[in-house]
Amino acid sequence: MTKNIARVVAAGSILLLAPALVLAQHPKIAPDLEGRAANSTVDVIVRFQSAPGAEQHQRILARGGRLNTDLGSMQAGAYRIAVSALQDLANDPDVVYIAPDRPLRGLLDNAAAAVNADIVKSYGLTGAGIGVAVIDSGVSHDPDLYGNRVVYEESFLGDRTTSDPYGHGTHVAGIVGGTGKKSGGRYAGIAPGANLVNLRVLDQNGAGADSTVMAAIQRAIQLKSRYNIRVINLSLGRAVFESYTLDPLCQAVEAAWKAGIVVVVAAGNEGRNNSVNTHGYGTIGAPGDDPYVITVGAMKTMGTPARTDDLIASYSSKGPTAIDHIVKPDLVAPGNCVVSILDKGSTLASEFPGNTVSNFYFQLSGTSMATPMVSGAAALLLQAQPGLNPDQLKARLMKTAYKQFPVSSLATDPVTAQQYQSYYDVFTVGAGYLDIAAALANNDVAVGYALSPSAVFDETTNTVKLAPTAGLENIQAIWGSVAVWSAQVIWGEAIWGDQAVWGDQVLWGDQVIWSDAVAVGSLWGSQAPWASATTSSESTGIAINGEN
């Protein structure tokens, strides 16, 4: 009798699983619909050959479904439908692809845990006494930030308002140092005790100019002693038009660096850009192309506090930099679907109401959100060890970064269902994933400059190797032969497998970092594969919908 029952259960299991297995094998059905019970319903996004109209909607209604949202401009619609009907729907020649209407959630508490910021609480560090200049679209008067937290504010735009009509700068400031007061601390920033200096350079549409950014950097240098400004956050940027040695914006960030201020810059959101057949390589923006600054790419927390399942965001810009071929980014940090302060009256809030998490918080994605993670970490480290100079802090963060990555990963755009493959090479993740606790636990103090190295292309052998920054070879760089600061220690063997980072090993061509995907020569011209004459938070800071 027991054996017969077992056979019946097993047979029943096969009957229940069979539709799911068949479903998963259909090329038009997303693999993550596998395992759904045939008698259940599911919210899906259906992409069509063209913008769906009444006829396409009716076909789904005839199968027992209902329309949730018309996404006609995206040649799609969002529907609720029985799982059992998906196979038949996928056979419709008008249907291109069916994907689950995947939930997008991003919590700053997950992001903080991923970089070990939660452990820092046991140190009693909050960034207190450290000034962080947020050069952005302004900062709104919000209970999570104001009181005596914003110690100085100034606008470099014609309207002179220091509030945030765009909504970007407030979100960034919240990641750096929001208290999380309105969420019971859940959405607190990385350094909730840091002093914030609000320098507004972007307008209500997130656009600005080099001159206003440079004026704000100049002001931060002038106010350094008065407000102990030790960090500048630049979640903005533009295309690279000339060498960093000539670019006035790059020279401005170098001036701040040499004045003793750590400058943290967004890498950009062009990692999916294949317009010149580089698969997103060579798309770092300015001033993130400068070898002095800390340039930050974006990771996805995958909705969990553990970092072991975290993956690179496919939109995160990749190095080497155009023209100078500097190895960038330097670090990666959580940047996808990050929750921070909502400015209800801002442009972003009105344009993307679906990103609202509550009456007080909002989620955004991009390297703009990853950058203040590192700025907050810098404030904590400087509170603990105020004697660190910018190069020593950069070196410490890079050396202690978490370096355990997969060889590659696949990301799916939640709207288009287009897939993007990323490789975890030095031009994608830099020295690794920000680990604040590891940086605080480390006491190594570098002597010299933490200049990001160059990637040098040898036309005779068609290979690329890491080398001292071009034009600065005579400056004493940290990444030398000393074991504590060797390039192998900083960038880690895990990124390269059995390959050495430094020396004679080939880093180009058919090696694992490229996987035959990139045309070798196309990165070495004088032009970046993307261009914009405007300094903007959006060009390097926002991928509004995030990714799966």
Side-chain angles (χ1 to χ4, degrees):
M1 183 67 177
T2 303
K3 292 181 179 179
N4 289 336
I5 292 174
R7 290 193 186 99
V8 172
V9 172
S13 298
I14 292 171
L15 289 172
L16 288 173
L17 290 173
L21 291 171
V22 173
L23 189 65
Q25 293 171 352
H26 199 294
K28 291 185 181 179
I29 298 176
D32 52 340
L33 284 168
E34 180 181 355
R36 309 274 180 145
N39 60 354
S40 66
T41 58
V42 63
D43 291 327
V44 296
I45 295 175
V46 181
R47 291 176 58 227
F48 296 91
Q49 298 285 355
S50 58
E55 181 182 350
Q56 285 78 13
H57 296 325
Q58 184 57 43
R59 291 178 198 169
I60 294 177
L61 295 177
R63 293 178 170 93
R66 79 176 189 203
L67 175 66
N68 289 338
T69 308
D70 188 338
L71 303 171
S73 64
M74 302 176 184
Q75 298 185 196
Y79 306 90
R80 172 161 287 189
I81 192 169
V83 171
S84 59
L86 291 179
Q87 187 78 20
D88 183 50
L89 179 60
N91 291 327
D92 186 326
D94 279 352
V95 171
V96 174
Y97 195 75
I98 304 170
D101 192 356
R102 302 177 178 104
L104 295 177
R105 60 187 292 269
L107 303 176
L108 191 53
D109 48 356
N110 281 337
V115 296
N116 276 339
D118 289 350
I119 297 175
V120 175
K121 293 177 181 177
S122 64
Y123 290 73
L125 297 173
T126 64
I130 304 300
V132 179
V134 178
I135 298 178
D136 213 288
S137 60
V139 177
S140 297
H141 290 242
D142 186 275
D144 274 15
L145 292 174
Y146 272 76
N148 60 356
R149 297 291 313 297
V150 177
V151 295
Y152 181 89
E153 50 191 347
E154 181 178 354
S155 174
F156 295 85
L157 303 178
D159 59 12
R160 298 301 175 191
T161 180
T162 56
S163 61
D164 186 14
Y166 186 48
H168 184 266
T170 302
H171 196 275
V172 166
I175 298 171
V176 173
T179 63
K181 179 180 179 180
K182 301 187 303 293
S183 63
R186 184 180 188 188
Y187 300 130
I190 301 298
N195 293 325
L196 301 174
V197 174
N198 170 22
L199 303 176
R200 181 172 178 246
V201 298
L202 303 178
D203 66 15
Q204 69 276 10
N205 298 310
D210 282 3
S211 59
T212 55
V213 176
M214 292 170 65
I217 292 171
Q218 177 176 264
R219 180 73 78 237
I221 295 171
Q222 293 170 344
L223 297 173
K224 176 179 180 288
S225 297
R226 185 185 303 179
Y227 298 109
N228 196 28
I229 299 174
R230 303 293 305 278
V231 184
I232 289 175
N233 188 94
L234 291 171
S235 291
L236 49 77
R238 55 154 170 76
V240 173
F241 293 96
E242 65 268 302
S243 169
Y244 75 89
T245 62
L246 300 173
D247 189 322
L249 186 56
C250 290
Q251 293 306 296
V253 297
E254 283 190 23
W257 190 273
K258 293 171 183 177
I261 302 175
V262 176
V263 183
V264 189
V265 185
N269 290 341
E270 297 291 327
R272 295 178 176 181
N273 190 329
N274 195 34
S275 59
V276 293
N277 197 34
T278 65
H279 295 265
Y281 287 92
T283 57
I284 300 290
D289 61 327
D290 193 280
Y292 284 87
V293 304
I294 301 175
T295 304
V296 185
M299 291 286 285
K300 303 182 291 184
T301 67
M302 311 308 290
T304 69
R307 64 185 175 189
T308 53
D309 63 347
D310 292 4
L311 300 172
I312 191 72
S314 63
Y315 54 74
S316 185
S317 287
K318 294 175 275 193
T321 67
I323 301 176
D324 296 300
H325 314 141
I326 306 299
V327 177
K328 293 283 183 173
D330 298 294
L331 291 169
V332 289
N336 196 67
C337 297
V338 177
V339 175
S340 186
I341 300 167
L342 167 67
D343 187 319
K344 294 180 182 179
S346 67
T347 302
L348 288 176
S350 62
E351 288 184 350
F352 303 100
N355 287 30
T356 300
V357 173
S358 72
N359 287 331
F360 307 108
Y361 297 99
F362 191 63
Q363 73 175 20
L364 292 175
S365 298
T367 56
S368 267
M369 284 61 251
T371 302
M373 297 277 179
V374 176
S375 294
L380 295 175
L381 202 56
L382 288 167
Q383 181 191 2
Q385 299 182 45
L388 293 176
N389 65 37
D391 291 281
Q392 290 166 341
L393 188 142
K394 178 181 177 181
R396 179 83 63 82
L397 290 177
M398 290 175 70
K399 178 181 179 180
T400 58
Y402 179 73
K403 305 181 192 301
Q404 302 302 312
F405 296 104
V407 173
S408 66
S409 62
L410 200 64
T412 303
D413 187 293
V415 175
T416 67
Q418 185 170 348
Q419 293 187 318
Y420 301 89
Q421 190 159 22
S422 299
Y423 295 90
Y424 290 75
D425 52 76
V426 72
F427 300 119
T428 301
V429 298
Y433 198 172
L434 175 67
D435 188 332
I436 302 173
L440 286 165
N442 184 278
N443 292 313
D444 296 329
V445 178
V447 177
Y449 293 89
L451 297 165
S452 304
S454 298
V456 179
F457 179 51
D458 186 340
E459 293 184 359
T460 61
T461 60
N462 222 34
T463 61
V464 172
K465 304 170 186 176
L466 298 187
T469 309
L472 299 174
E473 294 90 346
N474 295 327
I475 293 179
Q476 183 184 6
I478 289 168
W479 329 123
S481 58
V482 179
V484 173
W485 297 108
S486 68
Q488 188 174 21
V489 170
I490 301 306
W491 283 279
E493 288 187 61
I495 297 173
W496 304 97
D498 294 330
Q499 297 181 16
V501 179
W502 199 269
D504 298 328
Q505 290 294 327
V506 175
L507 305 181
W508 216 259
D510 296 333
Q511 301 299 314
V512 64
I513 63 167
W514 296 110
S515 190
D516 301 328
V518 179
V520 172
S522 59
L523 284 175
W524 303 97
S526 60
Q527 204 59 32
W530 57 285
S532 170
T534 303
T535 300
S536 168
S537 63
E538 192 158 358
S539 67
T540 59
I542 303 175
I544 292 295
N545 294 317
E547 71 177 32
N548 292 335

mmCIF file of all heavy atoms in Angstrom, residues 177 235 247-248 327 389 417 494:
data_model
loop_
_atom_site.group_PDB
_atom_site.id
_atom_site.type_symbol
_atom_site.label_atom_id
_atom_site.label_comp_id
_atom_site.label_asym_id
_atom_site.label_seq_id
_atom_site.Cartn_x
_atom_site.Cartn_y
_atom_site.Cartn_z
ATOM 1 N N GLY A 177 24.500 60.349 4.311
ATOM 2 C CA GLY A 177 24.385 60.621 5.736
ATOM 3 C C GLY A 177 22.990 60.828 6.266
ATOM 4 O O GLY A 177 22.829 61.516 7.285
ATOM 5 N N SER A 235 28.209 62.700 -7.995
ATOM 6 C CA SER A 235 27.361 61.731 -8.697
ATOM 7 C C SER A 235 26.878 62.363 -9.994
ATOM 8 O O SER A 235 25.672 62.489 -10.248
ATOM 9 C CB SER A 235 26.178 61.329 -7.815
ATOM 10 O OG SER A 235 26.605 60.566 -6.713
ATOM 11 N N ASP A 247 41.690 68.299 -19.514
ATOM 12 C CA ASP A 247 40.294 68.543 -19.170
ATOM 13 C C ASP A 247 40.203 69.434 -17.929
ATOM 14 O O ASP A 247 40.687 69.064 -16.854
ATOM 15 C CB ASP A 247 39.603 67.201 -18.905
ATOM 16 C CG ASP A 247 38.096 67.332 -18.760
ATOM 17 O OD1 ASP A 247 37.639 68.329 -18.176
ATOM 18 O OD2 ASP A 247 37.385 66.423 -19.206
ATOM 19 N N PRO A 248 39.556 70.583 -18.030
ATOM 20 C CA PRO A 248 39.498 71.486 -16.866
ATOM 21 C C PRO A 248 38.723 70.901 -15.689
ATOM 22 O O PRO A 248 39.048 71.196 -14.527
ATOM 23 C CB PRO A 248 38.818 72.739 -17.411
ATOM 24 C CG PRO A 248 38.131 72.304 -18.659
ATOM 25 C CD PRO A 248 38.954 71.198 -19.225
ATOM 26 N N VAL A 327 42.915 52.571 -15.904
ATOM 27 C CA VAL A 327 42.154 51.428 -15.401
ATOM 28 C C VAL A 327 41.099 51.933 -14.421
ATOM 29 O O VAL A 327 41.415 52.412 -13.338
ATOM 30 C CB VAL A 327 43.082 50.406 -14.719
ATOM 31 C CG1 VAL A 327 42.269 49.251 -14.131
ATOM 32 C CG2 VAL A 327 44.101 49.869 -15.716
ATOM 33 N N ASN A 389 45.504 60.607 4.424
ATOM 34 C CA ASN A 389 45.360 61.520 3.296
ATOM 35 C C ASN A 389 44.559 60.825 2.193
ATOM 36 O O ASN A 389 44.276 59.620 2.278
ATOM 37 C CB ASN A 389 46.727 62.025 2.806
ATOM 38 C CG ASN A 389 47.596 60.922 2.226
ATOM 39 O OD1 ASN A 389 47.110 60.001 1.557
ATOM 40 N ND2 ASN A 389 48.900 61.001 2.464
ATOM 41 N N ALA A 417 13.288 42.854 -21.649
ATOM 42 C CA ALA A 417 13.708 41.448 -21.555
ATOM 43 C C ALA A 417 15.019 41.183 -22.290
ATOM 44 O O ALA A 417 15.423 40.030 -22.435
ATOM 45 C CB ALA A 417 12.616 40.504 -22.065
ATOM 46 N N ALA A 494 41.669 36.647 -7.707
ATOM 47 C CA ALA A 494 40.348 36.070 -7.982
ATOM 48 C C ALA A 494 39.732 36.656 -9.243
ATOM 49 O O ALA A 494 39.004 35.982 -9.963
ATOM 50 C CB ALA A 494 39.425 36.308 -6.794
#
